[in-house]
Amino acid sequence: MAKFITFEGIDGAGKSTHIGFVADLLRAQGLQVVTTREPGGTALGEALREVLLHQKMHLETEAMLMFAARREHLAQVIEPALARGDWVISDRFTDASFAYQGGGRQLPLAKLEALEQWVHPHLQPDLTLLFDVPLEVARARLDASRTLDKFEQEKAAFFAATRAEYLRRAAQFPERFRIIDATRTIAEVQQELTQIISSLSGKQSGKQ
Ligand SMILES: Nc1ncnc2c1ncn2[C@@H]1O[C@H](COP(=O)(O)OP(=O)(O)O)[C@@H](O)[C@H]1O
Ligand SMILES: [Mg+2]
């Protein structure tokens, strides 16, 4: 059966670095793989991404726009792909809303749970890879690599709260989360990803 894999972690943790690698591991097993990202993944979603990453707005507006983009992403990309039997890998999904808007910005989690229930009451990722790094490591990587967007310019306390909420969710949903120590070298992280993916697809063939 097709699986839905999400990549999570604070900015600079290494999500985007590894997404193509994991997609290629699955393709090497003959699987069809769709890679996508949030916010974004559709034309409307990418337009919302531009607004979300660069404009100031009320915290609840931000949360609702994230879920609006997600609704479109599910309808146009994620659900059709899974229905076809393709695997889907998304660079961020709903855990990011809990971590950033809930943890980082302190929006009550119950409001995010209500949006989650509205937008995808019956779908959760099969596997969530949480790329975990201390804030200083993430910050150093970002400073070395790119111009920072609205979220990436936030202060250390914001990222500390964001990371803490990610880790709290990983503890809450241990059956789908894998915490990756992303302070290691890219090669070391890839070695672990290879093990995780081979055990996942091993489980898959066992079920059939
Ligand atoms: N394990 C690693 N060791 C050193 N640098 C890394 C590692 N993983 C990613 N990077 C670098 O850190 C920067 C941010 O990585 P990126 O994948 O864009 O993070 P994210 O998508 O999680 O924000 C990039 O320049 C990337 O090359
Ligand atoms: Mg990225």
Side-chain angles (χ1 to χ4, degrees):
M1 242 199 27
K3 292 199 191 296
F4 179 30
I5 301 174
T6 56
F7 280 36
E8 298 287 358
I10 60 174
D11 299 273
K15 299 175 297 298
S16 305
T17 300
H18 295 293
I19 201 155
F21 176 78
V22 170
D24 287 345
L25 285 177
L26 293 168
R27 289 186 183 118
Q29 298 179 25
L31 299 166
Q32 294 289 324
V33 183
V34 172
T35 61
T36 186
R37 69 169 180 180
E38 290 205 351
T42 65
L44 176 62
E46 291 293 329
L48 290 171
R49 179 188 181 92
E50 271 307 299
V51 174
L52 280 160
L53 297 195
H54 302 292
Q55 285 190 32
K56 287 212 159 126
M57 61 188 73
H58 189 280
L59 160 62
E60 293 188 353
T61 310
E62 183 179 278
M64 288 189 279
L65 285 180
M66 289 286 184
F67 274 93
R70 182 163 300 134
R71 185 69 193 88
E72 199 64 18
H73 193 205
L74 283 157
Q76 285 196 33
V77 177
I78 298 173
E79 289 171 346
L82 293 172
R84 289 195 297 274
D86 293 357
W87 286 49
V88 176
I89 309 178
S90 187
D91 189 336
R92 298 192 183 287
F93 191 62
T94 295
D95 295 305
S97 299
F98 280 90
Y100 280 74
Q101 281 71 48
R105 299 219 197 285
Q106 310 279 287
L107 181 67
L109 299 184
K111 294 199 172 181
L112 294 164
E113 281 160 3
L115 288 169
E116 180 183 37
Q117 280 303 307
W118 186 359
V119 170
H120 58 99
H122 306 302
L123 180 79
Q124 288 295 333
D126 296 292
L127 171 67
T128 298
L129 300 173
L130 174 55
F131 292 80
D132 187 52
V133 286
L135 318 185
E136 310 71 50
V137 174
R139 174 60 55 195
R141 287 181 187 169
L142 288 178
D143 286 345
S145 69
R146 59 184 181 241
T147 313
L148 303 182
D149 68 36
K150 185 182 89 181
F151 290 96
E152 291 167 346
Q153 288 170 22
E154 287 286 346
K155 298 198 169 27
F158 173 88
F159 284 108
T162 301
R163 182 187 184 205
E165 178 60 17
Y166 266 134
L167 290 169
R168 197 193 64 74
R169 286 181 71 75
Q172 187 179 2
F173 303 110
E175 69 291 347
R176 74 174 165 90
F177 267 90
R178 290 292 300 261
I179 301 175
I180 312 279
D181 172 5
T183 59
R184 296 170 298 166
T185 65
I186 290 175
E188 286 168 332
V189 171
Q190 287 181 345
Q191 206 171 13
E192 184 176 2
L193 292 171
T194 304
Q195 282 167 6
I196 292 171
I197 293 302
S198 67
S199 72
L200 185 71
S201 41
K203 264 192 240 153
Q204 181 218 5
S205 52
K207 265 194 212 158
Q208 283 173 344

